[in-house]
Amino acid sequence: MRKSLALTFLTGVLTATLAAQQLQRINPDGLSKPATYTHVVRAGTLLFIAGQVGAKADGTVIGPGMHEQVEQVLQNLQLALKSQGADFSHVAKITIYTTSIAEYRAPEVAEVRAKYFGEHRPASTLVQISQLANPAYKVEIEAIAVLPSAIGVRPVR
């Protein structure tokens, strides 16, 4: 009986470990359909979300201002999170690339960020660069989120 119980336990642990090591690549509806990367890579309870920019799914840049681009970036990030049953409270880390830290730190941009993250402020890195993939982009944000394993969230496609 003890051997059977121990074997069942070890089999469960091994199965969970292997499942956690499988990578799922997801390009959610509502986001662009990239040819060279994936928007969301899921590894067990971890979500790695590619940098989101201020453009709609068809590639149209939302506008020239930092405020409007950050709004679109966070809407895109929200779509990516929701596709996996997650929300901004699950985001552990973001990296922000911007062409202007001064514009990014404006009060109206902080309000947009607060609207999405609320009290769930992730660890954050802010980097100023000379240009993003499209010269019209002002900001790009990538994220790492952690799903609670007890919930057993399954991908939504």
Side-chain angles (χ1 to χ4, degrees), residues 12-153:
V13 169
L14 181 58
T15 301
T17 302
L18 290 175
Q21 292 177 1
Q22 293 177 348
L23 298 181
Q24 296 174 321
R25 290 169 174 79
I26 303 120
N27 283 315
D29 291 337
L31 296 177
S32 66
K33 300 299 178 201
T36 59
Y37 67 94
T38 303
H39 281 291
V40 180
V41 175
R42 183 171 174 168
T45 59
L46 292 178
L47 299 179
F48 298 90
I49 302 173
Q52 300 299 306
V53 295
K56 297 179 183 178
D58 66 1
T60 305
V61 178
I62 198 68
M66 181 68 74
H67 174 266
E68 56 210 348
Q69 286 198 23
V70 169
E71 179 82 38
Q72 184 65 49
V73 166
L74 294 176
Q75 286 176 12
N76 293 345
L77 183 55
Q78 186 172 48
L79 279 169
L81 290 164
K82 280 186 175 182
S83 77
Q84 298 305 296
D87 59 39
F88 284 94
S89 71
H90 296 103
V91 177
K93 170 79 169 87
I94 59 173
T95 303
I96 305 149
Y97 302 94
T98 183
T99 57
S100 173
I101 286 178
E103 286 180 64
Y104 185 81
R105 288 190 172 159
E108 61 271 11
V109 174
E111 288 173 16
V112 172
R113 186 171 164 177
K115 178 173 94 174
Y116 286 88
F117 286 100
E119 294 300 312
H120 306 287
R121 297 181 199 119
S124 181
T125 301
L126 177 61
V127 180
Q128 182 169 315
I129 58 174
S130 60
Q131 182 180 315
L132 289 159
N134 177 331
Y137 298 155
K138 291 183 154 288
V139 63
E140 181 170 342
I141 300 176
E142 64 182 22
I144 300 171
V146 181
L147 301 172
S149 59
I151 294 176
V153 177

